[in-house]
Structures are given as structure tokens and as C-alpha cells.
């Protein structure tokens, strides 16, 4: 069979809630890689986190991170970043509302409110292998802009504040300084203007000379929509939001039921 290019979201798609990759999924993907098919994780996560998951899957798995802002192809890393104007607009729009705002570099998380509980206190002072801090507190717009060369993308997270999120999203969209998406109803993904997972896929597709009909993608959230639309074979997970299922050509089992592995076994059989 002709070689395929296969992209998988991470959270809600490749991994379970406890961040585990099933043995079945790892085995199926490893065998297909031996046959020459290329696999990427495609995620909103920062680059270092995405790399960690990719290498836990198989050493050969490549990365699209930060919702398409960072990707690797032929051993070259490509990166696009939020502009200084976009950073200023985001901060001015969100800060006074006291809604948690996070920005991501390749290795660092920049935050404006308290870190979520799942980020342990012992992690907050740890320095990553890159020599960059894992976490940096942003206390002013001046501090944020001083870090602009290190920031790639961001996210606004607020549980049970949907009206405020809708207002923020509308205001930022009107400024036309960045791209906006959502991986969950409680967030707004902040992405460099004109960038999404699909733009990265199209660049990789062009570099590797793979036709669209030989591209498979798996996702569960609305930030996967463009990725699925850019793929000849679009697959929504069984646990995906209804809007994504309506757009996908196929629906597989849930992430907790080996949805990726089961689809690939049937497709390549």
C-alpha cells in the first residue's frame, strides 16, 4: 500500500485521561512505521511536552506542536509566534477580568494567575534540560512583552465563565491579530495569525510530496477541525464533540477504547 502521512491529536485522542498510551496503539503504530508510514502527534501542547509524548509512543514519531505553530520535517524545526501586537491585545483584553492566561514557549509556561493544581509545587522551581525555566509568572504587560521572543502561542482557561469567554473571543477576533480556536468549551486557544494544525500539515505534505488522499488525521476537539478538513481520511474519535463528528468522514472508537489502533487495523487490512 502507498505510504501514508498520519496525524493524531494527543489529549482525548492518543492518550487516556491518565496520559497513558495503550500497548495496542503503540504496537500497531510501530508496525506501520516499519512499513514506511509516517506518524505525527499534532497538539496544542508546547513543543517539549509534545516531544515527550511522541517519544513515549515510538522514537520515530514526529511533532506538530502549539496548534501548528511548531513542527518538524526532514530534521528541520519550523516555528511561528504570536506578534507583540497580539500579545498586548490579549493581555489588555483578559487581564482585568482575572481569568487565567497562559503562554507557551518551546519549553516554558508563562502564566498570569495561579498555576493549576496539576502543576506540582516541586515543578515550579525546576529548570528544564534546555536551560530555560519551566514556569514564569507574568505580572505586567511589560514583563509579557519582554518575553515576546520566547512565546509561541497561548490559551485562556475559565471554567463556568462561558459568557466571558465568548465576549473575549469576539473582541480578540475583531482585532484580527491572531487565530482563535478551542480544544474544550472552557478555553480559547491563542495561535499566531493564519496558523492552525492544517497549515502545518500542508507544509509537511508539500515537503514530503504526499497527496491529500494519503493523509489520515484523528481528533476530538474543535481545534482539530482544520486538520481533519486538510486530510483525505478524517477520523473523529468516539468521544469527540458532536460538531467534529459531523465534519469527519469516519468515526472510530473512543480514546479509551483504542480508537486509533482499531481504525488503522481496519484501514490497512
Amino acid at each position: 500500500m502507498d505510504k501514508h502521512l498520519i496525524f493524531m491529536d494527543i489529549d482525548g485522542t492518543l492518550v487516556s485521561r491518565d496520559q497513558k498510551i495503550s500497548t495496542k496503539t503503540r504496537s500497531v503504530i510501530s508496525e506501520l512505521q516499519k512499513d514506511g508510514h509516517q506518524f505525527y502527534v499534532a497538539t496544542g501542547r508546547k513543543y517539549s511536552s509534545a516531544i515527550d509524548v511522541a517519544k513515549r509512543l515510538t522514537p520515530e514519531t514526529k511533532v506538530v506542536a502549539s496548534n501548528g505553530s511548531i513542527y518538524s520535517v526532514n530534521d528541520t524545526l519550523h516555528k511561528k509566534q504570536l506578534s507583540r501586537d497580539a500579545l498586548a491585545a490579549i493581555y489588555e483584553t483578559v487581564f482585568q477580568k482575572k481569568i487565567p492566561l497562559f503562554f507557551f514557549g518551546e519549553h516554558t509556561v508563562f502564566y498570569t494567575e495561579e498555576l493549576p493544581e496539576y502543576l506540582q509545587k516541586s515543578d515550579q522551581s525546576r529548570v528544564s534540560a534546555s536551560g530555560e525555566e519551566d514556569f514564569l509568572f507574568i505580572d505586567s504587560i511589560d514583563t509579557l512583552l519582554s518575553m515576546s521572543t520566547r512565546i509561541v502561542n497561548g490559551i485562556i482557561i475559565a471554567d463556568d465563565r462561558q459568557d466571558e469567554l465568548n465576549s473575549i473571543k469576539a473582541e480578540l477576533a475583531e482585532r484580527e491579530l491572531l487565530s482563535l480556536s478551542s480544544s474544550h468549551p472552557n478555553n480559547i486557544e491563542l495561535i499566531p495569525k493564519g496558523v492552525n494544525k492544517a497549515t502545518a500539515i500542508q507544509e509537511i505534505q508539500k515537503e514530503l510530496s504526499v497527496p491529500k488522499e494519503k493523509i489520515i488525521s484523528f481528533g476530538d476537539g474543535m481545534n482539530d477541525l482544520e486538520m481533519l478538513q486538510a486530510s483525505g481520511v478524517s477520523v473523529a474519535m468516539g468521544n469527540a464533540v458532536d460538531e467534529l463528528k459531523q465534519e469527519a468522514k469516519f468515526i472510530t472508537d473512543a480514546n479509551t477504547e483504542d480508537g486509533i489502533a482499531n481504525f488503522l487495523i481496519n484501514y490497512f487490512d
Side-chain angles (χ1 to χ4, degrees):
M1 180 176 283
D2 291 340
K3 301 304 181 277
H4 284 62
L5 191 54
I6 301 159
F7 297 87
M8 308 161 290
D9 178 46
I10 293 179
D11 297 289
T13 300
L14 176 64
V15 302
S16 58
R17 185 177 292 274
D18 59 4
Q19 300 301 302
K20 291 183 178 179
I21 302 169
S22 77
T23 300
K24 181 178 181 179
T25 296
R26 185 180 289 108
S27 176
V28 169
I29 289 173
S30 179
E31 289 302 313
L32 288 172
Q33 286 175 326
K34 291 176 184 177
D35 291 337
H37 304 289
Q38 297 196 49
F39 283 78
Y40 276 76
V41 293
T43 179
R45 293 190 187 198
K46 63 178 180 174
Y47 179 72
S48 59
S49 176
I51 279 285
D52 175 67
V53 175
K55 299 315 174 190
R56 284 198 289 118
L57 178 57
T58 71
E60 295 76 27
T61 303
K62 305 298 184 183
V63 166
V64 172
S66 298
N67 281 311
S69 304
I70 303 179
Y71 63 91
S72 60
V73 60
N74 289 334
D75 297 321
T76 299
L77 191 68
H78 301 262
K79 179 169 67 174
K80 297 181 180 179
Q81 297 173 261
L82 288 166
S83 67
R84 286 175 61 89
D85 286 346
L87 291 174
I90 294 164
Y91 192 89
E92 291 165 357
T93 303
V94 177
F95 182 71
Q96 296 300 325
K97 295 180 172 61
K98 298 297 181 183
I99 291 178
L101 174 59
F102 303 88
F103 295 101
F104 305 103
E106 289 184 39
H107 306 279
T108 304
V109 177
F110 305 86
Y111 63 101
T112 60
E113 301 288 333
E114 291 185 8
L115 285 168
E117 293 180 4
Y118 57 78
L119 295 176
Q120 300 297 319
K121 292 294 183 182
S122 59
D123 289 334
Q124 295 182 25
S125 60
R126 180 166 53 87
V127 176
S128 67
S130 68
E132 295 183 353
E133 307 89 336
D134 279 345
F135 307 101
L136 278 177
F137 179 62
I138 299 298
D139 60 357
S140 69
I141 192 169
D142 290 336
T143 302
L144 175 63
L145 294 179
S146 73
M147 297 293 169
S148 62
T149 59
R150 294 174 56 184
I151 292 173
V152 176
N153 66 312
I155 190 169
I156 302 165
I157 301 177
D159 290 311
D160 303 318
R161 300 174 72 175
Q162 193 62 53
D163 289 344
E164 289 176 279
L165 285 178
N166 290 341
S167 174
I168 290 169
K169 192 170 187 178
E171 187 172 341
L172 289 175
E174 189 174 341
R175 302 286 288 271
E176 297 185 343
L177 294 170
L178 69 160
S179 295
L180 302 165
S181 187
S182 295
S183 54
H184 188 277
N186 73 346
N187 70 45
I188 303 172
E189 301 269 6
L190 310 166
I191 312 165
K193 185 175 176 63
V195 170
N196 54 52
K197 292 181 182 182
T199 59
I201 286 176
Q202 289 160 351
E203 290 298 322
I204 295 167
Q205 171 192 4
K206 180 179 178 182
E207 187 76 18
L208 299 179
S209 300
V210 177
K212 180 178 179 180
E213 61 266 23
K214 300 302 180 184
I215 297 176
I216 304 173
S217 63
F218 296 88
D220 72 300
M222 289 309 292
N223 67 324
D224 298 317
L225 176 61
E226 294 90 352
M227 176 173 73
L228 267 62
Q229 291 172 337
S231 305
V233 182
S234 55
V235 188
M237 306 303 291
N239 53 288
V241 297
D242 289 340
E243 296 92 333
L244 196 71
K245 289 179 178 178
Q246 292 169 8
E247 295 289 336
K249 293 181 180 177
F250 301 94
I251 299 174
T252 188
D253 301 315
N255 61 321
T256 55
E257 300 170 340
D258 291 314
I260 291 176
N262 293 339
F263 181 87
L264 292 174
I265 289 170
N266 291 329
Y267 181 85
F268 286 104
D269 187 11

